[in-house]
Amino acid sequence: MARLQAELRRYRELLEPQLIQYLSATDIPETLQKSMIYSIEAGGKRLRGCLCLAACELAGSSVENALPFACALEMIHAYSLIHDDLPCMDNDDFRRGKPTNHKVFGEGNAILAGDGLLSYAFEVTLNAAASHKDEPRYIDAALTIARGAGVFGMVAGQSMDLANERCEDLDADTLIYIHRHKTGALLTASILAGAIIGGASVELLQALNTYGDEYGKLFQITDDILDVTGDFKHMGKTLGKDASAAKLTYVTLYGLERAKEKAEQSAMQAKKALKEYSSAVFFQDLVEYTLRRDS
Ligand code: GRG
């Protein structure tokens, strides 16, 4: 995994200073700025930003072109975690190994930090699109992210999750719908946005769409498994919450062993989707890493 780690490091070293630069703008009110920076600086794997940059490179373009979009994706992801952690949602005290945003800044400020990050993300992508008026793919990438984050994507999944809380007879189709939207949609949008900026062919976009769908499933199944088998030190959040909240997960639905088999199946399908692309090494390595991840 040294090859993957080096690539992730290269992408993060581009992404993180740019993210902080966006958030360091001088005219943001102090508490709002501090709370947004708190959640962004708390860390995280920066997976969505890295996927966006890697897809742009795979499509044959320089990562710099996708950098605003990668930053926007990390802002949207951070907002979703801040809001998901609120008492009215998942009610979590820890995230990324630190007290959650509302524990430090209060609920009102945490809601605003999320709102601020989400709105700023679209300001950043639309600014990038406005600077490339003659290249419509920049606006396509912004739209792809909007769709993945919003009422046809992540917010739809979160809404269905909320609607089905403590529902005794949830079925596998609903579980798949929830996770394909709540977790998978933003991951897939991250990959597609980067590929669109990079000028990917229709064939590559289709292959990456299939990869994203399977990778999203793999990511969620391993998240459910780690809720049972993981530890706080690596995951940085309170574990065992799914069981105590009687949540339907891949583990509660299928049991640990079959959930692991399902993760293996999605891993295989994700890798197969890109088998024609010999330069998609990052994406193939990421599947192996995710299958064995502990954080
Ligand atoms: C509030 C609209 C809204 C949506 C929230 C993202 C989300 C939807 C909920 C988070 C619940 C959760 C733990 C989902 C499992 C998958 C997931 C998104 C895990 C966290 O992502 P990582 O592991 O986090 O990439 P880091 O901290 O590494 O960035």
Side-chain angles (χ1 to χ4, degrees), residues 134-163:
D134 298 333
E135 296 166 281
R137 64 182 192 280
Y138 281 81
I139 201 77
D140 287 349
L143 269 170
T144 299
I145 294 174
R147 203 172 167 93
V151 296
F152 304 105
M154 181 173 70
V155 176
Q158 183 77 350
S159 171
M160 283 293 278
D161 198 12
L162 213 53

Side-chain angles (χ1 to χ4, degrees), residues 44-45 48 77 79-80 84 96 158 219-220 223 237:
K45 297 180 285 296
R48 291 144 194 85
H77 173 56
Y79 123 76
S80 77
D84 188 65
R96 295 174 164 169
Q158 183 77 350
F219 189 83
Q220 183 62 53
D223 208 73
K237 63 179 181 181

Side-chain angles (χ1 to χ4, degrees), residues 33-209:
Q33 186 164 45
K34 274 193 178 148
S35 58
M36 292 194 300
I37 291 180
Y38 174 80
S39 288
I40 290 284
E41 282 194 331
K45 297 180 285 296
R46 313 288 191 210
L47 205 50
R48 291 144 194 85
C50 291
L51 280 166
C52 179
L53 298 180
C56 182
E57 269 191 340
L58 176 64
S61 180
S62 157
V63 276
E64 272 75 18
N65 295 327
L67 200 49
F69 296 83
C71 290
L73 283 155
E74 285 301 321
M75 289 185 205
I76 295 170
H77 173 56
Y79 123 76
S80 77
L81 297 178
I82 295 171
H83 282 194
D84 188 65
D85 290 336
L86 286 167
C88 60
M89 295 249 187
D90 240 18
N91 193 17
D92 274 300
D93 292 349
F94 290 96
R95 172 70 66 183
R96 295 174 164 169
K98 298 210 167 93
T100 42
N101 195 294
H102 65 272
K103 284 278 160 190
V104 179
F105 297 95
E107 282 180 44
N109 287 319
I111 291 170
L112 290 173
D115 294 341
L117 285 163
L118 177 62
S119 311
Y120 202 0
F122 289 108
E123 188 174 335
V124 164
T125 59
L126 291 171
N127 254 327
S131 320
H132 293 87
K133 280 203 180 66
D134 298 333
E135 296 166 281
R137 64 182 192 280
Y138 281 81
I139 201 77
D140 287 349
L143 269 170
T144 299
I145 294 174
R147 203 172 167 93
V151 296
F152 304 105
M154 181 173 70
V155 176
Q158 183 77 350
S159 171
M160 283 293 278
D161 198 12
L162 213 53
N164 286 286
E165 234 175 20
R166 299 196 180 275
C167 173
E168 302 275 301
D169 54 0
L170 249 191
D171 53 45
D173 285 348
T174 312
L175 178 75
I176 288 169
Y177 177 95
I178 290 172
H179 294 315
R180 179 171 274 147
H181 289 78
K182 186 173 112 171
T183 306
L186 196 64
L187 288 166
T188 303
S190 306
I191 299 169
L192 293 181
I196 290 168
I197 296 293
S201 65
V202 173
E203 292 74 24
L204 178 56
L205 287 176
Q206 275 166 356
L208 285 170
N209 195 31

